Amino acid sequence: AILVSIQISAAGASQSLTTQAASVSFLTSPLTPCPLRSEFALSAYQKWSPEVSAPVIFESTALDPRCPPLVNLQSELALRQKDLDLARTSTQEGVTYDPLSDSAWALRSAYLLASGDVAGAQAALDEAARVQALYPETSAKADLSGLQAQIDAARG
């Protein structure tokens, strides 16, 4: 009951966040549940500059790397920033904690390709396609064709 009360309070607090500082505090609070942190992190990513949003998202993800939307967002940011050390860890956590996420597997494939492991990238992309086939009714599927083209080009 206490945990539910804390989460309800956090949800209520999310409605009153009007400043960037308040949003940062909310995102980096261990009392903010994963779904709310994920929602606000995506919003921060879209609204704030990468210099501001990335460190906040990384800190928020570190609170609980088992939060799939956050770890995938962190993986995407790490890949965009070419931070392969963070991308290695983050993409591995993504597929470990949510092995049925096609996005997590696609991000893992992108990391492996960026690190020069073309065979590993293909295997991860094949897993993303396999996972997508398990849930054909899902509308939010990762687009795998562009990544496949990159892998094919890397094979030369």
Side-chain angles (χ1 to χ4, degrees), residues 38-93:
S38 299
E39 180 182 328
F40 271 78
L42 183 57
S43 177
Y45 175 65
Q46 294 168 344
K47 291 179 185 176
W48 304 344
S49 70
E51 295 79 22
V52 174
S53 65
V56 174
I57 290 167
F58 296 162
E59 184 179 347
S60 183
T61 304
L63 292 173
D64 185 3
R66 297 168 302 165
C67 183
L70 271 178
V71 79
N72 286 344
L73 182 57
Q74 176 177 270
S75 296
E76 184 178 324
L77 280 168
L79 287 166
R80 284 188 182 187
Q81 294 179 348
K82 304 204 183 320
D83 183 343
L84 294 184
D85 288 334
L86 179 58
R88 179 186 66 250
T89 303
S90 190
T91 60
Q92 184 60 54
E93 288 172 343

Side-chain angles (χ1 to χ4, degrees), residues 28-152:
T28 57
S29 169
L31 299 177
T32 305
C34 170
L36 289 175
R37 275 188 296 120
S38 299
E39 180 182 328
F40 271 78
L42 183 57
S43 177
Y45 175 65
Q46 294 168 344
K47 291 179 185 176
W48 304 344
S49 70
E51 295 79 22
V52 174
S53 65
V56 174
I57 290 167
F58 296 162
E59 184 179 347
S60 183
T61 304
L63 292 173
D64 185 3
R66 297 168 302 165
C67 183
L70 271 178
V71 79
N72 286 344
L73 182 57
Q74 176 177 270
S75 296
E76 184 178 324
L77 280 168
L79 287 166
R80 284 188 182 187
Q81 294 179 348
K82 304 204 183 320
D83 183 343
L84 294 184
D85 288 334
L86 179 58
R88 179 186 66 250
T89 303
S90 190
T91 60
Q92 184 60 54
E93 288 172 343
V95 299
T96 298
Y97 294 126
D98 193 3
L100 296 178
S101 168
D102 62 327
S103 295
W105 283 106
L107 288 162
R108 183 68 178 165
S109 177
Y111 158 72
L112 291 167
L113 183 60
S115 64
D117 183 354
V118 178
Q122 184 64 60
L125 187 63
D126 290 345
E127 184 62 12
R130 185 189 75 77
V131 168
Q132 278 187 352
L134 293 174
Y135 304 100
E137 70 284 352
T138 303
S139 62
K141 293 181 181 179
D143 178 19
L144 307 180
S145 60
L147 193 50
Q148 184 63 63
Q150 291 175 15
I151 291 171
D152 293 343

